[in-house]
Amino acid sequence: MPAVLVTPASTTDRDAARILPPRARSRFGRLTRVWADGGYTGHLVDWSAAQLGVVLDIVRRSDDTRGFEVLPRRWVVDRSFAWCLCSRRLVRDYERRTDTSEGVVLWSMTMLMSRRLAARHQQRLAPRAGEAA
């Protein structure tokens, strides 16, 4: 996860989007493209290109579509949220401070990644079928 930003409910997504991409860009200089949903349309696309050199692609749902539709690249965000919700602490919002919430998100993703790395390490150490122990 390149960067995390938790804001109060009174902050709009477009306002928060002027804070998060510069953070991510400073940490990951190779960041060149960001996918976002329809809530980020407008001058934010031009601003991100001019100020950050980052292409902001808006993933839109077609107006004539009814029901569920899989949107390109949107599944990545939804999958990431689902991973976060495996952490009991993130299922409900118990935190009062936004920096604490950001820490819990980072902690949750660190736990997820460390479990995956440990599982890969165990797979490499496990003897293969037919090999002598």
Side-chain angles (χ1 to χ4, degrees):
M1 186 172 289
V4 176
L5 177 66
V6 177
T7 60
S10 61
T11 305
T12 65
D13 290 344
R14 284 189 193 137
D15 293 341
R18 288 185 175 254
I19 302 168
L20 186 62
R23 274 193 206 173
R25 179 80 167 143
S26 68
R27 290 186 63 203
F28 298 93
R30 293 176 27 174
L31 183 66
T32 57
R33 183 174 303 269
V34 174
W35 288 277
D37 68 5
Y40 297 95
T41 57
H43 67 280
L44 192 57
V45 175
D46 299 329
W47 178 84
S48 66
Q51 298 295 322
L52 303 173
V54 174
V55 176
L56 182 63
D57 280 338
I58 305 297
V59 179
R60 289 190 178 93
R61 188 181 147 151
S62 120
D63 292 335
D64 57 341
T65 302
R66 298 184 74 179
F68 177 76
E69 175 187 12
V70 176
L71 300 175
R73 304 306 300 177
R74 180 66 189 260
W75 64 272
V76 176
V77 175
D78 292 335
R79 178 196 60 194
S80 300
F81 284 143
W83 286 343
C84 285
L85 291 178
C86 289
S87 176
R88 185 172 183 214
R89 190 89 184 257
L90 292 174
V91 173
R92 300 283 183 268
D93 189 19
Y94 296 113
E95 313 305 329
R96 291 180 181 252
R97 296 176 36 172
T98 57
D99 60 339
T100 305
S101 293
E102 289 175 10
V104 173
V105 170
L106 291 172
W107 170 77
S108 176
M109 291 307 287
T110 302
M111 293 300 294
L112 175 74
M113 295 308 297
S114 63
R115 284 187 194 126
R116 288 184 179 182
L117 290 171
R120 277 192 196 153
H121 182 70
Q122 289 291 19
Q123 287 174 352
R124 279 192 280 146
L125 293 179
R128 293 189 177 102
E131 290 183 9

